[in-house]
Structure formats: structure tokens, C-alpha cells
Amino acid sequence: MPIVAAYAAPSEGAPLVSTTIERREPGPLDVVIDIAFAGICHSDIHTVQGDWGPQHYPLAPGHEIAGTVAAIGSDVTRFAIGDRVGVGCLVNSCGECAACARGEEQYCTGGAVGTYGATDRDGTITQGGYSRQVVVTEAFVLRIPDAIPLDRAAPLLCAGITTYSPLRHWKVGPGTRVAVVGLGGLGHMAVQLAHALGAEVTVLSQSLRKKDEGLLLGADRYLATSDPETFSENKSAFDLILNTVSAPLPLDAYLGTLDTNGTLVSVGAPPEPLSYHASLLIGRRRSLAGSAIGGIAETQEMLDFCAEHGIAAEIELIDASAINQAYDRVLASDVRFRFVIDVATI
Ligand code: NAP
Ligand code: ZN
């Protein structure tokens, strides 16, 4: 078993520490990736804090992985040594259910395998991208276009696809009025992607602190949710609201800003339940929805779309020794807009 350096949480809620993890011996269909960069997603923090239930420890998080191919198995056809590649939130799925057949492996009913903290098909527990190397079956490896620097590409593998997929599913295009709630890692990708799709984009942020950056990312309007007038002056103003907030929101206020037939999609996944008054849905035939990451084919489509439109994540590159401070800053909404670990420092 190859042993690789990693950063992992030794137990629930504990700070991450330098350690080693085991990777499987590469099989015929496996790609061995030298990881160069790994993004820090708020999901990593939810997971190691136990927000989403008990985990196996030690746990190395990280599902925004960018690097280069170090070796390939004998049956690998799509990748060669040295290729620029990425891995997102999934490393396997059943390949046989209706969702897999549709290319929506994220909704696999036969057992999708998450990049970390999941039981792999060989019974081992997966470990994520805060590590020097990963071994992934080629069907779950993405190609990173040359136009996107690897460090700024890493966050696309989760934050990018998680926002691209609902924007495409709800057919956002020229003239669609989109509100993005929360300008963090996911939110700043949502703004760039919705703008590139031709939408009219409004950011709903807790304050106006990041207004200049939000407008530069492509937002047409930037409003503070701490100001009650934001809600009273924007009744029925949006067709689609993309909620990227990691904490519970007072949904009724947001639902009131949706036009007739509008949809509020939550991609933010707080541990606490959300509640709303049914009348706010009924009175304007509004919908409340959720969306999970995206399938492999759509993730490749998103990467190619970003390359074509000059889109990438805005990042703060950190050494591995700063991971725990970065977690504290993400929890304090003090991130512009994604922390990315320089994996050479692990
Ligand atoms: P993030 O970088 O921390 O961004 C979340 C943003 O939400 C913050 O920057 C902040 O923006 C806003 N916010 C935070 N606390 C708030 C509060 N109490 N009230 C109102 N707004 C608040 O996190 P992220 O990495 O983008 O992830 C966001 C959420 O999406 C997490 O729950 C994560 O687990 C989830 N997620 C889901 C999927 C999926 O497949 N559905 C995939 C990835 C992540 P402002 O400062 O602008 O207000
Ligand atoms: Zn993520």
C-alpha cells in the first residue's frame, strides 16, 4: 500500500494535524494523481465538525483536487502521465442505476462513493485531497483545460459544479433574474457563472463589505440582507434564488422575493432544519428545491465553459500549516473567496 503525507482530523472537531494515509495499489483502470492544490470547502468543515453525523477518523478532507497524472493502470485510455487533471466530490458510483445512466452519478441510488469519509467498493474508507497523492478510477477523473491555472481550478471541482448544475437545470440564460445568497466559495462561483450565462445577477450578502469584489465578479446589484429594505423593495424580483449559505436562513423573507413560478434552490447544507410558511409557495406557485454537486460529464462541461469564458476561482493560497486558521476564517465568513492548500507544503 502506498503511504502518502496528508493533513487529517484525528477526531470529531479536533484541529487537523500532519500525518500519513494509505492509498490503494493502483489497478488497471486507476489513475495515480500527484496532487498540487486542494480547495477548502465549507463541507470539509461541516464533516470534520460532525455536523452531518459521525465519521471515521482520522479523516483527511478535500474534494477540490487539482494535479497531474503520475502513473496510469494498463487499461487506462483517456489519460497519460503529465496530464492536468482534477477530482471532485465523487470517486465512484454503481454505474448501473437510472441516475448513473443519465450521467447524474451524484444521485446514484446504488451507492455513489464520496471522495472522503465514504466506504469505497473495496470496503476501505476514502481519504480526500489534503494529501500528496490520490488513486482514482479513470471514469471519475476530470481534464483541466490549459487555460485555467491549477490552483484556481481546484475549487471548480466542487464550488464550480455545485453552482453550475442548478443554473443549467433551471435554464438560466439571458434575462433570467438570479439572486445568489452568500458570497463565499460557492457564491462567488455562482455569480461568475450566472453572469457568463447572461443572467441579471443580484448578490444577497449579510453586509456590503464585499460589494466591490461582487460587482467585479459580474453582479449587477449587491444588497445587504441586514437591511430590511432589501426584502421590502425586492418583492417578486427574482426568477431563481441560489442559496449557498452554510447556516439556516429565514426562508419566508427570501421566498417573498421570488416572482410567480420562481424557485429557491438550496445548495447550502446547514445541519439545522429550515422552515417556511406554505402560503408563500402557494400564493405564487413558488418552488423550494435542493441540488447536489453535478455528474462527471457536467463537471467536464463546466470546466470547459470556465476556460471558454475566462472564469476561475478567486483564491487565497495557503500552506498546509494554516489549514486550521483558514477553517476559523471560513466559519467567520472571512474568505475571499476560496482557501486553496499548496499541497507541496503538506
Ligand atoms: P462559505 O465559503 O463559508 O460561504 C458561505 C457564505 O454564506 C459566507 O461566505 C457568507 O456570505 C454566508 N453566510 C455564512 N453564515 C451566514 C449566516 N449565519 N447567515 C447568512 N449568511 C451567512 O461556504 P461554501 O464552501 O461556499 O459552502 C456553502 C454551503 O454549501 C455549505 O453548507 C456547504 O456544505 C454547502 N455545499 C453544498 C454542496 C451541494 O452539493 N449541495 C456542495 C458544496 C458545498 P456573506 O458574507 O456574503 O453573507
Ligand atoms: Zn465541497
Side-chain angles (χ1 to χ4, degrees):
M1 286 277 184
I3 306 283
V4 299
Y7 259 70
S11 59
E12 184 172 302
L16 276 67
V17 295
S18 172
T19 183
T20 56
I21 56 170
E22 283 184 357
R23 294 299 188 188
R24 67 169 175 257
E25 290 295 345
L29 283 171
D30 279 336
V31 178
V32 181
I33 300 167
D34 278 337
I35 302 176
F37 300 103
I40 293 181
C41 178
H42 205 121
S43 301
D44 303 347
I45 304 175
H46 285 307
T47 304
V48 300
Q49 285 187 339
D51 286 355
W52 295 343
Q55 304 292 327
H56 296 272
Y57 293 93
L59 172 70
H63 56 207
E64 294 186 337
I65 299 170
T68 51
V69 174
I72 53 170
S74 53
D75 294 345
V76 168
T77 57
R78 293 175 40 241
F79 297 99
I81 291 173
D83 282 359
R84 305 165 86 246
V85 291
V87 178
C89 304
L90 295 174
V91 290
N92 221 329
S93 72
C94 83
E96 289 166 2
C97 70
C100 286
R102 290 195 305 271
E104 294 186 329
E105 296 88 353
Q106 74 275 32
Y107 303 123
C108 170
T109 51
V113 181
T115 302
Y116 58 78
T119 305
D120 210 339
R121 303 186 90 70
D122 61 5
T124 59
I125 303 298
T126 56
Q127 295 284 8
Y130 299 6
S131 64
R132 297 292 286 265
Q133 248 186 8
V134 65
V135 180
V136 181
T137 191
E138 78 166 324
F140 286 78
V141 179
L142 285 307
R143 191 171 289 286
I144 296 179
D146 289 341
I148 312 176
L150 281 186
D151 52 356
R152 299 184 62 202
L156 303 180
L157 276 304
C158 174
I161 184 58
T162 302
T163 50
Y164 183 80
S165 186
L167 292 172
R168 297 286 286 161
H169 181 78
W170 275 276
K171 300 188 170 33
V172 165
T176 314
R177 296 161 301 167
V178 175
V180 175
V181 191
L183 195 71
L186 267 57
H188 97 290
M189 289 312 309
V191 170
Q192 296 185 76
L193 293 165
H195 175 69
L197 289 166
E200 185 188 299
V201 185
T202 302
V203 174
L204 300 176
S205 181
Q206 293 168 96
S207 73
L208 298 180
R209 260 186 321 134
K210 295 175 277 191
K211 181 175 178 178
D212 292 348
E213 290 100 316
L215 296 178
L216 280 174
L217 289 166
D220 300 286
R221 297 196 299 152
Y222 199 104
L223 307 173
T225 54
S226 52
D227 180 354
E229 287 189 1
T230 292
F231 296 96
S232 59
E233 290 177 359
N234 286 283
K235 290 205 184 303
S236 305
F238 306 119
D239 303 304
L240 186 79
I241 299 176
L242 197 53
N243 168 23
T244 76
V245 174
S246 46
L249 281 187
L251 282 188
D252 287 356
Y254 291 85
L255 287 171
T257 66
L258 277 178
D259 206 349
T260 305
N261 295 325
T263 302
L264 188 158
V265 187
S266 277
V267 288
E272 303 85 356
L274 301 172
S275 68
Y276 61 93
H277 279 97
S279 60
L280 280 158
L281 299 183
I282 294 165
R284 292 276 188 280
R285 197 165 55 194
R286 295 166 173 136
S287 303
L288 194 53
S291 182
I293 47 175
I296 296 301
E298 193 174 44
T299 304
Q300 190 62 60
E301 178 188 310
M302 175 276 309
L303 288 165
D304 296 341
F305 179 90
C306 287
E308 194 183 315
H309 289 86
I311 293 173
E314 295 300 324
I315 64 164
E316 189 171 331
L317 195 62
I318 59 165
D319 286 357
S321 57
I323 290 173
N324 296 302
Q325 287 153 271
Y327 274 25
D328 290 341
R329 285 184 54 196
V330 171
L331 287 168
S333 299
D334 177 22
V335 51
R336 295 182 191 202
F337 286 90
R338 199 54 140 188
F339 289 108
V340 172
I341 304 161
D342 179 353
V343 168
T345 64
I346 286 182

